[in-house]
């Protein structure tokens, strides 16, 4: 019934029962154990599958234990749903290979990439389920047991990460809502990050849960603390370093965030060989996937990491960073497919929402467009700068930076432009044919004081010299180029407000 259910003791806690009637006997939560047992029957007596059989047999007890909490924990219920799908797919692959004679079985397993991917994915999902059962607070008993073992902070493998959680979140807390976490992060970093909150949230809340759990924070730390930082490194410096490393991945032009296999194949189906994108698995939390078009125009997918293990891995070789991995495979990974991730805050005055973007993207009738092109912008993300592709549009009286990444979106009056010049590149240019140009804003302008990227804006474009000529002409005609140049700020974005 509609509006009459609100009486009594306030909002009802959201549990897995919101997905429908969930009990330890329901078909959904029983599917993983049932599929695992069927897989074991298929593998029985097959020497080539002995390792698979040993692993799966060891997980049956875990699957049975998880069923008991499926009605009270959405996290465990969702994990069992994903495991049911994964095991069903794995079972289908096993039926194919197990029908072959033993003499052909080993070669069939090695050559069956889908079976191997399923097996690795199963291992990661089982490890994640085990951690959730041990530390996820599925019941008061679980929480009490975790407290006896020293609190939830011990889940975090990094001593500096555990210190941050203990000091600012509380060792006894398994999770925290996004807003208080964001405030504590700003306090720790001594930065005002309000204008780039959507970026920060994208980095930390990659599962889009609107909260940070000790498991998701540990996942973030594990991804990027590949050199295992220790004191005397401060907690602040530790977090700044991790954020800088995360920005390299999450704001890389070819990173598409949460994209399903089907959507990735739809995007890559229109691309030439050696095109690729990086995505987060929509079924395996914490797993990065490389999807690419090989030399035969076939689309392939590779897992790049394992939950709980640092670094990115291809063909058993581990790389500390994603750029390092991509640079080592340029012969097969030539062109990143640009992403379309939207960072918008519809209710925010600063973000403006989709309607504001549409208005900015459609010049007013009186504002004649003089020059427009896709260029690269050396933009401050959270704590460091990266080249990001934007649409730059010079109109009669204003310069618009148009992008779906709302914290970078700006419209600047050319009257506020104090200087424009060809400049040396502050970092390796995104493409070899580009030149670099700088726009310096007047010190007394609102544009300089309110811009999270500072008073000097840096762009790269193949026709940089023409951009400088056109910008100077428009700025001079509209009262700019007054010589009142702002001093470029060397601080982090938002460190003063």
């Amino acid at each position: 019934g509609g509006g009459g259910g609100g009486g009594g003791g306030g909002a009802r806690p959201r549990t897995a029962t919101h997905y429908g009637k969930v009990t330890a006997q329901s078909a959904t939560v029983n599917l993983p154990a049932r599929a695992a047992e069927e897989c074991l029957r298929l593998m029985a007596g097959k020497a080539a599958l002995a390792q698979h059989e040993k692993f799966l047999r060891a997980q049956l007890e875990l699957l049975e234990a998880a069923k008991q909490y499926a009605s009270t924990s959405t996290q465990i219920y969702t994990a069992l749903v994903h495991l049911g799908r994964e095991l069903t797919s794995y079972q289908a692959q096993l039926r194919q290979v197990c029908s072959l004679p033993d003499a052909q079985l080993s070669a069939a397993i090695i050559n069956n990439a889908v079976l191997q991917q399923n097996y690795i994915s199963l291992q990661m999902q089982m490890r994640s389920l085990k951690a959730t059962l041990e530390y996820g607070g599925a019941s008061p008993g679980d929480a009490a047991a975790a407290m006896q073992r020293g609190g939830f902070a011990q889940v975090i493998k990094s001593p500096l990460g555990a210190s941050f959680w203990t000091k600012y979140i509380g060792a006894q807390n398994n999770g925290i809502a996004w807003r208080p976490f964001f405030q504590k992060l700003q306090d720790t970093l001594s930065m005002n990050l309000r204008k780039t909150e959507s970026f920060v949230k994208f980095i930390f809340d990659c599962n889009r849960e609107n909260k940070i759990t000790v498991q998701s924070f540990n996942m973030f730390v594990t991804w990027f603390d590949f050199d295992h930082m220790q004191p005397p490194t401060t907690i602040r410096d530790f977090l700044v370093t991790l954020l800088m490393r995360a920005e390299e991945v999450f704001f890389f032009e070819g990173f598409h965030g949460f994209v399903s296999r089907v959507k990735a194949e739809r995007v890559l189906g229109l691309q030439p060989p050696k095109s690729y994108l990086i995505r987060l698995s929509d079924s395996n939390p914490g797993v990065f996937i490389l999807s690419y078009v090989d030399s035969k125009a076939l689309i392939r997918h590779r897992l790049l990491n394992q939950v709980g293990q640092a670094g990115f891995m291809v063909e058993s070789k581990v790389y500390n960073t994603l750029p390092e991995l991509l640079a080592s495979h340029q012969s097969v990974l030539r062109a990143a497919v640009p992403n379309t991730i939207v960072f918008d805050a519809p209710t925010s005055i600063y973000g403006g929402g989709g309607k504001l973007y549409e208005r900015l993207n459609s010049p007013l009738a009186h504002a004649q467009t003089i020059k427009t092109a896709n260029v690269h912008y050396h933009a401050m993300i959270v704590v460091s700068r990266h080249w990001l592709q934007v649409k730059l549009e010079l109109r009669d009286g204003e310069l618009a930076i148009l992008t779906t990444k709302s914290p970078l979106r700006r419209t600047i009056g050319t009257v506020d432009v104090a200087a424009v010049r060809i400049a040396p590149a502050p970092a390796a240019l995104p493409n070899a044919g580009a030149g670099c140009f700088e726009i310096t804003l007047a010190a007394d302008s609102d544009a300089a004081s309110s811009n999270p990227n500072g008073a000097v804006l840096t762009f790269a474009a193949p026709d940089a010299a023409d951009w400088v000529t056109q910008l100077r002409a428009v700025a001079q005609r509209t009262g700019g180029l007054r010589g009142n140049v702002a001093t470029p700020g060397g601080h982090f974005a938002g460190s003063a407000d």
Side-chain angles (χ1 to χ4, degrees):
R12 179 184 173 191
R14 191 167 186 85
T15 69
T17 53
H18 285 256
Y19 292 98
K21 186 167 177 59
V22 177
T23 69
Q25 287 73 44
S26 70
T28 303
V29 298
N30 267 288
L31 179 59
R34 195 169 65 247
E37 287 166 353
E38 179 57 32
C39 289
L40 287 170
R41 280 193 286 274
L42 288 167
M43 290 187 281
K46 308 282 185 182
L49 285 160
Q51 281 298 108
H52 290 226
E53 184 180 9
K54 181 180 177 183
F55 165 74
L56 208 52
R57 196 170 296 283
Q59 306 309 314
L60 285 177
E61 187 178 340
L62 175 67
L63 293 172
E64 288 296 328
K67 292 190 310 187
Q68 306 307 314
Y69 297 114
S71 63
T72 56
S73 168
T74 54
Q75 212 172 352
I76 291 173
Y77 175 81
T78 305
L80 287 172
V81 170
H82 288 321
L83 278 166
R85 293 174 188 156
E86 197 78 51
L87 279 159
T88 303
S89 173
Y90 182 61
Q91 184 181 333
Q93 297 300 319
L94 279 175
R95 283 202 190 97
Q96 290 181 19
V97 297
C98 289
S99 62
L100 298 170
D102 286 352
Q104 299 175 26
L105 192 57
S106 292
I109 293 168
I110 292 169
N111 293 325
N112 191 322
V114 177
L115 178 69
Q116 297 290 354
Q117 292 271 23
N118 278 150
Y119 180 55
I120 293 170
S121 180
L122 275 173
Q123 288 177 305
M124 291 190 288
Q125 286 201 37
M126 291 292 189
R127 190 181 294 126
S128 175
L129 177 61
K130 184 178 181 182
T132 302
L133 277 170
E134 287 182 348
Y135 305 115
S139 70
D142 288 337
M147 288 301 294
Q148 287 175 1
R149 291 191 294 267
F152 289 112
Q154 70 163 0
V155 175
I156 303 166
K157 302 308 178 188
S158 156
L160 287 164
S163 295
F164 166 77
W165 193 269
T166 299
K167 182 175 180 180
Y168 294 97
I169 312 301
Q172 76 282 5
N173 292 327
N174 180 43
I176 182 172
W178 167 251
R179 293 301 308 174
F181 174 84
F182 181 57
Q183 186 57 55
K184 290 174 187 296
L185 181 68
Q186 292 182 96
D187 294 344
T188 307
L189 298 178
S190 301
M191 294 181 189
N192 181 347
L193 301 175
R194 289 196 307 274
K195 292 178 180 177
T196 53
E197 181 178 355
S198 59
F199 287 177
V200 184
K201 193 171 191 290
F202 183 58
I203 291 173
F204 280 101
D205 187 19
C206 61
N207 288 332
R208 296 177 293 188
E209 296 177 325
N210 211 33
K211 65 180 180 181
I212 306 298
T213 64
V214 71
Q215 290 85 6
S216 62
F217 184 75
N218 182 54
M219 190 161 62
F220 165 77
V221 170
T222 302
W223 281 341
F224 301 111
D225 184 24
F226 50 76
D227 49 357
H228 308 294
M229 286 181 273
Q230 303 279 340
T233 300
T234 64
I235 293 175
R236 180 188 184 279
D237 290 347
F238 169 73
L239 289 172
V240 166
T241 302
L242 296 193
L243 281 167
M244 290 173 69
R245 292 170 178 175
E247 288 168 2
E248 281 188 333
V249 177
F250 285 79
F251 297 92
F252 161 63
E253 195 166 84
F255 181 71
H256 285 240
F258 279 94
V259 171
S260 69
R261 183 189 185 106
V262 172
K263 185 175 179 183
E265 290 179 350
R266 193 161 59 241
V267 171
L268 289 170
L270 304 173
Q271 304 298 325
K274 302 186 180 180
S275 299
Y276 68 94
L277 58 85
I278 308 294
R279 60 191 176 92
L280 280 171
S281 171
D282 62 344
S283 58
N284 299 311
V287 177
F288 289 93
I289 297 175
L290 167 67
S291 298
Y292 66 101
V293 185
D294 70 11
S295 57
K296 297 178 181 177
L298 298 174
I299 297 172
R300 300 191 178 277
H301 307 271
R302 283 182 178 271
L303 301 180
L304 292 182
N305 68 306
Q306 293 189 28
V307 175
Q309 295 187 21
F312 299 87
M313 182 174 66
V314 169
E315 295 173 348
S316 301
K317 182 171 174 57
V318 178
Y319 301 87
N320 283 335
T321 68
L322 185 62
E324 186 183 336
L325 181 151
L326 296 173
S328 299
H329 292 80
Q330 286 181 338
S331 60
V332 291
L333 303 174
R334 182 178 298 163
V337 179
N339 69 56
T340 54
I341 298 170
V342 176
F343 291 90
D344 233 332
T347 58
S348 151
I349 295 173
Y350 184 80
K355 289 184 179 178
L356 176 61
Y357 179 61
E358 287 170 14
R359 184 166 66 81
L360 290 174
N361 206 13
S362 304
L364 299 175
H366 69 270
Q368 178 190 355
T369 300
I370 296 166
K371 184 177 178 67
T372 182
N374 288 326
V375 303
H376 280 86
Y377 179 24
H378 199 234
M380 180 71 78
I381 305 301
V382 181
V383 296
S384 58
R385 293 182 183 270
H386 301 270
W387 289 110
L388 295 179
Q389 191 174 76
V390 299
K391 182 179 178 183
L392 194 61
E393 194 164 280
L394 176 61
R395 305 167 188 159
D396 193 11
E398 61 185 20
L399 179 71
I401 302 169
L402 302 173
T403 170
T404 53
K405 298 173 174 61
S406 59
L408 304 181
R409 192 183 305 148
R410 311 293 295 175
T411 300
I412 298 162
T414 50
V415 67
D416 292 328
V417 173
V420 187
R421 69 183 184 104
I422 295 291
L429 289 169
N431 56 67
C436 191
F437 65 98
E438 280 183 357
I439 300 169
T440 305
L441 304 176
D444 57 353
S445 67
D446 289 340
S449 60
S450 65
N451 190 352
N453 273 273
V456 178
L457 312 181
T458 305
F459 300 91
D463 56 346
D466 187 55
W467 273 106
V468 170
T469 301
Q470 299 276 15
L471 275 161
R472 281 177 176 165
V474 175
Q476 199 157 29
R477 188 170 66 251
T478 55
L481 301 184
R482 291 170 291 162
N484 187 13
V485 179
T487 302
H491 54 75
F492 290 130
S495 57
D497 200 43

